[in-house]
Amino acid sequence: MVAEYEQTVEERRVPIEPGQVVFDEGMRPERRDQLMRILTESGFLSQAVELAFAEIRFDPRKIVERGLWITRVHQTPDALFYRWSIHTTDGRHRQLMVALREDLETPRAWESICWLLAIAGYPFAERVLPRFGCARPELGAIAMEWVDDLTVHERIREATARMRDAGDTFSPEWCRALYVRAMSAALNLWKHSGRRLLPGDCSPDNLTVPAIDFRSTARVLTLGPWRRGDSPVPMLVSMHHEFFEKVSAQSPDFGEHLDPTWIPEAVVESLGAVEGREILSDMSEHAELGPVIRSYLDRMGPEHHVPLKIESAVQRFRRWEWANPEATPSARLEEVEELVDLYHLQTLGEYWRHELFRRTLFASAPGVVRDAFDELLTASKADPATSPSSLVELSHLQSLIDDPG
């Protein structure tokens, strides 16, 4: 099927005109020639766009004059990475990350491609890898969706610059959310691989986090020099080095505020309280991370972790409530229901939907109602297999809502 599709792409290939392509100044002539051969002598561009962006057919003739801008972004020991920005006559803007590498025909490279396809296409949770485009070993090129969010490293540099130049203060709430979202994305990658693959680069340079908290999850940009592993421990050690020790060495004023217990918090954010506690308990005597793990378990523990989505939704509701002090009960209910959709809280399960209601609509309810709601949540957490809607505590809560006196 793949060969048939690639043959179809090549049969309808149309040449890219030199006037459509712009290279960054300073790019080596041999690299320009290689990239132009890929563009003019194959259907690589059409194939990459169609597969990365789920398009039926992409016609390169729609690219405007000087509409395909190619920028070199970085390199690794075995690959050169380029950003392809594509503007077409219909006003659309598409971006690809294209890597040039000479080892695409090796078994290791094909195994990496299979992992990319499997993890990027994981159907039961938010995506953690960019959408895959195509790999053409005969061209020495591979393409994926370009992720335009800032990396965690870029966000740290931006915050450090504001602290230094504008006198901003360090925000522990913002930084905790940034770190936990990023590190849990790497853990999600391991989870989506069937708990079989550890990414080779867990640094802030290889993870992006959207600026808006209700947008889709953070992304791992590349697998890096991955390895097989049924335990996340090596990845957590790497995170400690990259996110805490290295950042503290490079930006001491920023690093002195970092809290390494965000690592076990990210474990629970990704894997849940049950699996999270199992992994963390096994690590409690780890030579490097043991003190951090024990501090988290003693201070808080997985059972008291609140997903970041819930925290963000509650904070957004409080801002809305402050701006709308005269809102009617129906308007308040509508706002909470919109937050459920906005943050995709259905994916967290019924318990956390009830938790959201307790922290928003019922935060200022009479004490007897709040106590009854807390009893419902406690019973629901003790029996997660039973829906809160089936518990007797819910009936008691409803009776108090109707008559709190």
Side-chain angles (χ1 to χ4, degrees):
M1 184 179 295
V2 174
E4 183 179 345
Y5 169 67
E6 289 185 351
Q7 181 180 352
T8 301
V9 170
E10 294 302 328
E11 288 174 352
R12 55 182 168 85
R13 173 171 58 87
V14 294
I16 298 288
E17 298 296 331
Q20 293 175 298
V21 184
V22 183
F23 294 97
D24 267 4
E25 294 184 10
M27 191 178 297
R28 291 164 55 184
E30 57 268 30
R31 291 302 177 197
R32 293 190 183 203
D33 294 342
Q34 181 182 6
L35 291 165
M36 280 303 300
R37 285 195 301 271
I38 292 172
L39 286 167
T40 58
E41 299 176 9
S42 75
F44 176 85
L45 175 60
S46 296
Q47 183 180 359
V49 170
E50 290 168 9
L51 295 177
F53 303 107
E55 298 189 18
I56 301 300
R57 178 171 294 191
F58 177 74
D59 186 350
R61 289 173 295 190
K62 292 184 177 180
I63 299 174
V64 301
E65 187 78 7
R66 298 174 63 84
L68 172 51
W69 199 291
I70 298 179
T71 301
R72 178 176 165 180
V73 287
H74 68 277
Q75 73 178 72
T76 62
D78 54 5
L80 294 170
F81 292 87
Y82 297 87
R83 176 181 182 176
W84 289 16
S85 299
I86 308 160
H87 297 264
T88 49
T89 54
D90 59 2
R92 292 191 59 187
H93 177 216
R94 307 165 181 86
Q95 296 196 87
L96 294 169
M97 180 175 70
V98 176
L100 302 182
R101 51 191 308 159
E102 299 176 353
D103 64 346
L104 287 181
E105 297 195 35
T106 64
R108 170 76 177 187
W110 276 107
E111 190 175 6
S112 299
I113 291 168
C114 289
W115 277 118
L116 284 169
L117 287 166
I119 298 171
Y122 186 78
F124 304 113
E126 294 177 332
R127 184 188 304 274
V128 295
L129 281 173
R131 289 188 293 262
F132 189 78
C134 64
R136 298 287 293 270
E138 75 279 10
L139 301 172
I142 183 171
M144 302 178 69
E145 167 199 25
W146 171 267
V147 178
D148 214 19
D149 291 314
L150 294 181
T151 66
V152 176
H153 176 68
E154 289 169 333
R155 295 201 182 279
I156 291 172
R157 288 187 60 193
E158 183 181 41
T160 302
R162 290 199 305 267
M163 291 169 61
R164 181 189 64 237
D165 301 333
D168 285 8
T169 57
F170 179 86
S171 171
E173 296 82 8
W174 170 84
C175 192
R176 169 182 165 269
L178 175 72
Y179 267 52
V180 173
R181 290 178 75 187
M183 293 186 292
S184 62
L187 285 155
N188 286 340
L189 189 153
W190 175 70
K191 181 171 64 174
H192 295 177
S193 73
R195 295 164 175 77
R196 290 179 291 169
L197 181 139
L198 297 170
D201 184 358
C202 291
S203 71
D205 287 303
N206 195 44
L207 287 150
T208 67
V209 174
I212 302 175
D213 59 8
F214 58 78
R215 273 192 54 201
S216 58
T217 184
R219 296 278 193 272
V220 182
L221 296 179
T222 67
L223 290 180
W226 60 268
R227 58 173 165 163
R228 292 184 177 271
D230 59 4
S231 168
V233 174
M235 179 166 50
L236 301 180
V237 173
S238 176
M239 289 175 183
H240 185 242
H241 294 164
E242 295 287 343
F243 276 80
F244 295 89
E245 295 181 334
K246 186 175 180 179
V247 170
S248 295
Q250 294 177 338
S251 305
D253 291 342
F254 187 89
E256 68 181 7
H257 299 285
L258 300 178
D259 183 354
T261 61
W262 296 338
I263 295 176
E265 190 172 352
V267 172
V268 181
E269 176 78 12
S270 170
L271 305 178
V274 175
E275 185 178 2
R277 174 167 284 282
E278 180 181 342
I279 289 173
L280 296 175
S281 296
D282 291 343
M283 291 183 63
S284 61
E285 300 302 323
H286 188 273
E288 181 174 337
L289 292 180
V292 173
I293 302 299
R294 293 193 298 272
S295 174
Y296 173 76
L297 293 176
D298 293 342
R299 185 183 69 186
M300 181 177 176
E303 293 75 19
H304 298 285
H305 175 76
V306 177
L308 290 180
K309 286 184 175 183
I310 296 292
E311 290 186 357
S312 298
V314 171
Q315 291 168 4
R316 187 172 291 270
F317 177 83
R318 288 173 179 169
R319 292 193 296 269
W320 176 88
E321 191 175 41
W322 181 85
N324 299 273
E326 304 299 324
T328 64
S330 61
R332 288 162 54 84
L333 175 60
E334 182 179 355
E335 176 66 15
V336 173
E337 290 177 338
E338 288 179 357
L339 290 173
V340 172
D341 293 334
L342 184 66
Y343 286 93
H344 307 289
L345 300 182
Q346 304 91 334
T347 61
L348 297 179
E350 193 173 359
Y351 170 85
W352 286 112
R353 188 171 184 273
H354 282 76
E355 185 75 53
L356 175 68
F357 274 72
R358 170 62 179 87
R359 293 167 180 256
T360 53
L361 293 179
F362 290 86
S364 57
V368 64
V369 174
R370 297 199 306 271
D371 291 343
F373 211 135
D374 292 338
E375 291 174 4
L376 169 64
L377 294 173
T378 300
S380 178
K381 182 171 284 190
D383 186 12
T386 302
S387 168
S389 302
S390 304
L391 296 174
V392 65
E393 286 81 2
L394 180 61
S395 299
H396 177 56
L397 172 63
Q398 289 173 332
S399 67
L400 290 174
I401 293 173
D402 294 336
D403 184 13

